Each structure stands twice: as C-alpha cells, then as structure tokens.
Amino acid sequence: MITYNELLMEADGNNLITKEKPLRAHKGRIKGNKIAIKQDMTETQKKCVLAEELGHYYTAVGTILDQANTVDRKLERRGRILAYNRLVGLTGIVEAYRHNCQSLVESAEYLGVTVGFLNDTLSYYKSKYGTYTMLDHYCIIFEPSVAVLELV
C-alpha cells in the first residue's frame, strides 16, 4: 500500500512542488509544476487527492477545469482512473477480501483510502466491467453489491 509520504516523494522526484494550502473550492489542484492540497483533511484524504493530481500530471495537458467541455471531462476522468487503479485496483479488492474485510469501511481502512474514494473506484469498475470481472482465480462481483468469490 502506497503512503501519502511516498506520493509526496514521487511528486518531488518529478520536480513537482506540493504544498498544503487552505483551498476553498477544490480538495486539490495542479497547475504547471505546482500541486496544492487542501490542508484541513486527513492524511488518507490527502493521499487520495494527491494520487488523483499525480494522475492528472501524467495524463493531462493544460487546464481541465471546464467540466462542461467534453475533452476536459475525459481528461479529468483519466486522472481519476489512474488514481483508482493505483490506490485500489482489482488486486486491492481481492486483497481486502483475503484479509476478511466485511464491509466497505473495513475495506477502505485496509486499503488506506476513504470510503468515498473506494465507492468511486467500485462505480468506475462496474461501468468498465459490468456486473462482474475475473482476476486470476477470483470473481469480483459488482452487482447487486460487491462480493469476491474464490474459484477452486
């Protein structure tokens, strides 16, 4: 599991300046080589936000704030998807199951993400894969609720 400090070091390794600030409108923002993270959040929240901002750094060019613009929406989504795959991934869902997590809250705690971030991740995977997908010898079910079945 990646930590907030590891993400900060990654940002630094990419010559990005990351600062925690009293942001009003956003939880995080990247502009050029500067990332601002809202300071009055938990470390877990900051980690989720920084992972998304790094996702934007790796996938977007320019400003993508106009969510009425289709291209901006797609680039916003692409940055989020990178964060979902990085902090949770299908492997993380299976690992939470293997560690006997019994609820979304337990799974989010185990994975080191917020419940909202995990919900968004699961919604994305449901939209991508449909009602279920396979990973190795596991079936990850997204409807009617999330479940993991180990195939023997």
Side-chain angles (χ1 to χ4, degrees), residues 120-144:
D120 291 346
T121 302
L122 295 170
S123 293
Y124 163 69
Y125 287 145
K126 180 180 169 186
S127 73
K128 179 177 181 178
Y129 297 110
T131 56
Y132 73 95
T133 192
M134 303 295 295
L135 179 67
D136 298 326
H137 56 279
Y138 293 94
C139 179
I140 304 168
I141 301 167
F142 300 107
E143 280 187 357

Side-chain angles (χ1 to χ4, degrees), residues 51-119:
E52 183 180 331
E53 296 309 321
L54 285 169
H56 294 315
Y57 171 74
Y58 294 130
T59 62
V61 177
T63 303
I64 59 171
L65 294 176
D66 182 7
Q67 292 301 292
N69 179 315
T70 303
V71 173
D72 285 8
R73 279 196 315 273
K74 286 181 180 180
L75 290 171
E76 177 70 25
R77 181 173 162 92
R78 196 180 311 170
R80 287 182 182 173
I81 290 168
L82 195 70
Y84 298 154
N85 289 332
R86 187 149 188 215
L87 297 186
V88 177
L90 294 175
T91 304
I93 296 168
V94 169
E95 287 302 311
Y97 160 79
R98 292 183 69 220
H99 282 83
N100 299 313
C101 295
Q102 299 293 312
S103 68
L104 216 54
V105 172
E106 286 180 11
S107 297
E109 285 178 12
Y110 171 76
L111 295 167
V113 297
T114 65
V115 172
F117 187 89
L118 182 55
N119 263 326

Side-chain angles (χ1 to χ4, degrees), residues 2-11 43 47 50:
I2 194 162
T3 67
Y4 179 56
N5 283 333
E6 289 170 328
L7 290 174
L8 287 169
M9 288 188 297
E10 178 182 331
E43 189 164 306
K47 177 174 100 169
L50 182 53

Side-chain angles (χ1 to χ4, degrees), residues 12-33:
D12 187 56
N14 283 293
N15 296 315
L16 298 170
I17 299 164
T18 307
K19 291 191 177 181
E20 295 181 13
K21 297 184 164 219
L23 300 177
R24 292 182 188 173
H26 303 281
K27 292 179 183 176
R29 181 109 193 260
I30 184 168
K31 186 174 183 183
N33 72 331

